Amino acid sequence: MKLVWSPETASKAYIDTVKSCEVFQESSVAELVSAMAGGWNPRLIVEAWHREGIVATSVGLAVASRHTSGRHVCIVPDERSRSEYVDAMREAGMSPEVIVGEAEEVMEALPGIDFLVVDCRRKDFARVLKHAKLSTRGAVLICKNAGSETNSGFRWRSVLGVGSRVVRSAFLPVGKGVEIAHVGASGAGLSAPKGKSRWIRHVDQESGEEYLFRR
């Protein structure tokens, strides 16, 4: 069974995230990520949070997980980060599940990841991706704060574990740059049934620019 796109759930997650993230400067990224998470109906959403960041994206993922009845887990490197994250999320009305530890050990304990969001400002972001135990249904991977498309030098093949097959990838100039990759299911592609590809529309709330990308 593969991940299947649900426009209705994506729309609900997007709208609720817009309402929840009005106070955050990073709301455009949060809305995009939430809509994608809601649309793919993941069972396990994992994010690797950076303690210098705000929690807009985390709020968006929490909103999406409520719509999909999935599990949302945040991984942080130390207790200080955990405390800051939990406090910020509680102020936003969320009760997050947080796991503290090194990338290798934490990802080992989270098999079957359908949707993974990593902040590229984390020193261990590449190790998080490399050691991620992705779902056999396929997975959607997102790296935020990835820089510009021409300057980041980002290469999915250099950071993913052995056996992971990137079906398609894209860079979006939203926020400080968002890299997206769809990793194929075991023995198959990650896409929805043939002939049903869709265009996803996203409007950057800060710049007013509109982006269209195809899944």
Side-chain angles (χ1 to χ4, degrees), residues 4 6 8 14 21 27 55 58 62 66 83 90 99 122 129 161 164 180 202 205 211-212:
V4 179
S6 170
E8 181 179 357
Y14 179 88
C21 293
S27 60
V55 294
S58 302
R66 291 178 179 178
S83 179
R90 285 177 177 170
I99 300 179
R122 284 181 58 128
L129 291 166
S164 296
I180 303 171
H202 173 72
Q205 299 299 319
Y211 304 101
L212 292 175

Side-chain angles (χ1 to χ4, degrees), residues 67-167:
H67 283 287
T68 64
S69 297
R71 180 186 177 195
H72 169 219
V73 181
C74 179
I75 63 172
V76 295
D78 51 49
E79 286 296 330
R80 181 178 179 184
S81 296
R82 184 200 66 78
S83 179
E84 292 182 8
Y85 179 81
V86 170
D87 289 346
M89 287 292 280
R90 285 177 177 170
E91 287 185 12
M94 306 291 177
S95 300
E97 179 180 352
V98 186
I99 300 179
V100 181
E102 296 294 328
E104 293 84 348
E105 61 183 26
V106 171
M107 300 312 281
E108 187 67 33
L110 292 169
I113 298 172
D114 300 299
F115 200 90
L116 176 62
V117 180
V118 180
D119 193 324
C120 286
R121 292 176 299 179
R122 284 181 58 128
K123 294 180 180 179
D124 64 348
F125 87 91
R127 288 192 289 126
V128 171
L129 291 166
K130 181 177 181 180
H131 293 282
K133 305 296 182 183
L134 302 181
S135 170
T136 56
R137 301 192 305 150
V140 176
L141 312 179
I142 295 179
C143 288
K144 66 176 192 175
N145 295 311
S148 69
E149 184 177 22
T150 56
N151 296 329
S152 66
F154 196 96
R155 296 292 182 274
W156 283 106
R157 292 181 181 178
S158 67
V159 294
L160 293 180
V162 177
S164 296
R165 180 172 58 87
V166 176
V167 177

